[in-house]
Amino acid sequence: MKRLYIKTYGCQMNVYDSERMADVLRPLGYGMTDDPEGADLVVLNTCHIREKATEKVYSELGQIKRMKARKAEAGDGVMTIAVAGCVAQAEGAEIMKRQPAVDLVVGPQAYHQLPELIARAHRAKGEGLAAEFSPEEKFDALPETRHVSGVTAFLTVQEGCDKFCTFCVVPYTRGAEWSRPAEAILTEARNLAEKGVREVTLLGQNVNAYDGAPGGLAALVRQLAKVDGLDRIRYTTSHPRDMDEALIAAHGDLPELMPYLHLPVQAGSDKILKAMNRDHTAESYLRLVERIRAARPDIAMSCDFIVGFPGEREKDFQATLDLVTEVNYASAFSFKYSRRPGTPASAMPGQIAEEVMDERLQRLNALLGQQQQAFNEAQAGKVLPVLIEKPGRREGQLGGRSPYLQPVHLDGPDHLVGQIVPVRIVTGHKGSLTGELVQALEPA
Ligand code: 5AD
Ligand code: SF4
């Protein structure tokens, strides 16, 4: 068996892509290893969204290069180094120039060509570059069956973005919005369910812009809810603009659709939202959240924020804090604005000093942290249906997820993995819950 090491950076779409790369390479005799030392093929599946993420790739490549040299010195064969993902898409051949130990570069729409690229890279340096935009061709070429480990899985249903937020590289690295045909998604979902998957998270850069079936994402979710064995459905990431009535209604009446929604707003000031080209105001976002909560009152809201976008004054930042206070989030991700080459915002006047961004990020995180903790603490005393995902770190301990995506720790027998069981929540912590089984269950 040849040893394959894949390191994944960035978003869940990359996690899905990494799994699919392993599926493509398995028939060629590659098996996964979790140590890059001595591996026959090392794939870095990269992220371009912020400068830090991109820089990490180059420092990692420095280390991998030394491993490649050690393997060659030991007479243990050749290590092939591949750079995949969004840095590959954005920087292409530049990567091979900057780090000559790299054998091939493959964009997010081209990794079905990995076997061919590996062969070509060994024939002639410089031929191992593929960065076309054709998600359709890629999905057609991917093996139908997936290797599954666990009871939850990601399932990509949509790729790309046409929104062109002025800070974001995604429309350039992932291309235009494209939806997978519903039939292919249903086939993949049935296949996952047959292998024991109980929960799928539908992925897309703009997942609620999905239009691969009449009726959009709401219709797709309704079809998926009928798949035998699939009990829980989630989707991410959504744009407020594409949150239509049908999808809101689905949250109200589909028990399989979990009460958790990641709906990034990015900022709370209308001036900044306009400069970001977000196409919504703080007010329209708040009204949208109200409509979603009217349909599903217990829904846990999650969000992304950027602090320090060019031109952000203290009072604009204060508007972000006000919006957070008004919505009350169960979880959130916040980032300092990162100036990305080629994006409109990178050329805007009023770039914000690092110290100001640091200070704002700290204040925002403090507020979001309080909200998350309060949300978790509020679960204490409730009985929640928990999907048991895996044995815990200690013997006799289990790890699962609440409907609100909170990790739950409890004691119980291993055979409960894959089941949804009632759990009484005892304590809510900052990032997780502790609970106990409601009744002692007999071994299956
Ligand atoms: N700087 C900081 N954060 C960014 N994001 C996207 N582009 C940038 C950038 N240039 C954040 C947004 C998005 C999340 C995935 O990453 O909040 O929702
Ligand atoms: Fe980037 Fe905006 Fe598209 Fe999200 S909606 S991927 S932030 S351009």
Side-chain angles (χ1 to χ4, degrees), residues 267-288:
S269 143
D270 288 341
K271 182 191 106 175
I272 297 297
L273 288 169
K274 190 153 196 272
M276 286 177 162
N277 189 32
R278 288 290 297 176
D279 209 37
H280 59 76
T281 61
E283 186 60 24
S284 69
Y285 178 87
L286 289 169
R287 297 294 78 84
L288 175 60

Side-chain angles (χ1 to χ4, degrees), residues 1 13 24 76 86 159 176 196-197 201 256-257 263 274 299 315 342 346 359 363 410 443:
M1 191 187 76
M13 301 207 58
V24 169
D76 182 26
C86 292
E159 294 210 29
V197 168
T201 302
E256 289 84 357
L257 191 53
L263 192 65
K274 190 153 196 272
I299 200 156
K315 77 169 190 198
S346 69
E359 192 261 345
R363 280 155 68 201
L410 66 151

Side-chain angles (χ1 to χ4, degrees), residues 359-399:
E359 192 261 345
R360 288 181 186 165
L361 185 67
Q362 236 177 44
R363 280 155 68 201
L364 177 58
N365 278 340
L367 178 59
L368 290 166
Q370 280 166 18
Q371 293 189 343
Q372 180 172 339
Q373 180 147 6
F375 180 74
N376 289 349
E377 284 172 358
Q379 309 304 317
K382 290 189 194 163
V383 174
L384 298 180
V386 170
L387 171 59
I388 307 296
E389 291 180 324
K390 51 184 187 280
R393 255 178 254 142
R394 265 196 297 107
E395 169 107 36
Q397 204 185 37
L398 298 170

